[in-house]
Amino acid sequence: MRHEAPTRRTVLTAALAAVATTASLTAGCTRHGTADDGRPPQATPTPGEGTPAPSGQRATGSVLAVKIDNVAAARPQTGLDSADVVYAEQVEGGLSRLMAVYATGLPAVIGPVRSVRESDLELLRQFDRPTLAFSGAQRKLLPLIGRAPLRPESPAETSRAYYRGSGRPAPHNLYLRPAAVLPDGAPGRAALTTGFRYGPAPAGGMATAARTVRYPAARFTFTWSGDHNRWLVSMDGTPARTTAGTRLTAPTVVVQYVKVTRSGFHDVLGNYTPYTHTVGSGRADVLRDGRTFRTTWSRPAATDGTAFTGADGAPVDFADGPVWVVFVKA
């Protein structure tokens, strides 16, 4: 895993700030980097099969976290089905945005990639110096990114890792080649220091056919499929698929109730960005095996993972496989 020296971090912050000032395309509070330079768009990406971690993989390492666009114009996404964890949060205007985390395998292409938010930095503290791929950020947020214990990999830092796909307008067409930012491959499951536990389902629970989570201008629906033994993901009333046509599914879905406040940052229209607090405690619903389990979540510090316990105080295990976590205002 690479470690940046303080001098490189200072240079990086200055470079990111320069890019944010000179970028020509703006959407929301995004500032695009050097991949958006007016060149003709490249070919539409072809999603690759998830590649396994190399033999002799590291016991720990840098997970890859990618900020992914989730408005209608950005769908279907690419590479989202290969993520180990997908976090969904509310952003400006009541819309949603995703952050996908990869540790056990990397697809060939991921996207569309969009901008980072302040609360993402807190969420990512649970990992050991994660690699964060994003399209840019609001200018005043860039110094915080530069000081955060992570490896920022925007187009300003690694332009060769990104390209513009055809068939969609900017800013919904920026794609990442993850091998360019993690040349050693996926770090392995041990890097997923989320605090999640995996194992048999606890006793009890409430039979659940479907669960819908609503934001002011977005919604997620998870429908249980006994045939797939997974929850089928829908967004804004439409079945969610990848660009290859694969339906997005997850064995475990977490609806986590959190404190949401107004951050100090806003988009170009003056809409303030919600700050999703993921440190603390509260209630959460864990959906697995066609049932809902009422739990309490706890994350005492930003460097900790999140624990989920039942009413009896026992840990609640997740089903093996990808996890979707949807943050909802308590």
Side-chain angles (χ1 to χ4, degrees):
M1 183 179 70
R2 299 180 310 192
H3 292 274
E4 295 176 297
T7 54
R8 184 170 183 258
R9 184 180 305 141
T10 302
V11 173
L12 169 61
T13 301
L16 286 170
V19 170
T21 304
T22 59
S24 60
L25 285 178
T26 300
C29 67
T30 301
R31 301 292 187 268
H32 295 287
T34 55
D36 182 18
D37 60 1
R39 292 176 295 180
Q42 300 184 34
T44 302
T46 300
E49 298 293 333
T51 56
S55 58
Q57 64 185 18
R58 300 179 300 275
T60 58
S62 176
V63 300
L64 173 63
V66 185
K67 291 294 298 186
I68 296 182
D69 202 351
N70 197 39
V71 297
R75 302 177 196 145
Q77 291 102 339
T78 300
L80 195 55
D81 54 326
S82 297
D84 294 287
V85 184
V86 177
Y87 293 100
E89 64 178 342
Q90 181 181 326
V91 292
E92 302 83 0
L95 295 167
S96 65
R97 187 156 295 176
L98 307 176
M99 182 164 70
V101 178
Y102 301 82
T104 61
L106 299 176
V109 174
I110 302 172
V113 180
R114 286 300 301 273
S115 58
V116 72
R117 297 296 183 271
E118 182 186 10
S119 51
D120 297 329
L121 305 182
E122 177 181 276
L123 181 61
L124 288 171
R125 287 288 305 281
Q126 65 190 302
F127 302 111
D128 178 19
R129 201 165 182 80
T131 298
L132 174 61
F134 61 105
S135 65
Q138 199 215 54
R139 186 182 311 152
K140 293 181 180 179
L141 180 57
L142 292 171
L144 297 183
I145 299 172
R147 293 193 297 268
L150 54 78
R151 289 178 50 221
E153 295 285 4
S154 72
E157 174 69 8
T158 314
S159 61
R160 70 182 185 281
Y162 293 87
Y163 67 95
R164 294 278 172 185
S166 62
R168 295 181 186 179
H172 312 295
N173 63 352
L174 182 66
Y175 292 89
L176 170 74
R177 297 184 181 93
V181 294
L182 284 186
D184 294 333
R189 188 167 182 170
L192 281 175
T193 51
T194 56
F196 301 166
R197 290 169 48 106
Y198 299 84
M206 179 176 61
T208 303
R211 177 68 178 270
T212 296
V213 178
R214 300 178 187 275
Y215 294 159
R219 73 182 188 272
F220 297 88
T221 298
F222 303 94
T223 304
W224 179 250
S225 169
D227 292 338
H228 295 85
N229 204 32
R230 289 184 171 214
W231 301 93
L232 307 180
V233 182
S234 296
M235 300 178 186
D236 301 332
T238 301
R241 301 183 183 277
T242 67
T243 45
T246 304
R247 185 72 184 270
L248 293 178
T249 66
T252 306
V253 175
V254 178
V255 181
Q256 185 173 340
Y257 293 89
V258 297
K259 181 180 179 182
V260 179
T261 58
R262 194 178 80 170
S263 79
F265 302 95
H266 56 78
D267 65 14
V268 294
L269 299 178
N271 298 312
Y272 278 88
T273 302
Y275 189 102
T276 300
H277 296 260
T278 56
V279 172
S281 61
R283 67 187 180 97
D285 293 335
V286 174
L287 283 61
R288 60 165 295 179
D289 301 322
R291 307 187 75 81
T292 297
F293 298 90
R294 307 290 188 187
T295 72
T296 297
W297 69 268
S298 176
R299 187 183 177 205
T303 52
D304 295 329
T306 306
F308 295 85
T309 56
D312 59 358
V316 174
D317 290 343
F318 295 176
D320 191 44
V323 177
W324 278 60
V325 180
V326 184
F327 295 120
V328 185
K329 186 175 182 179

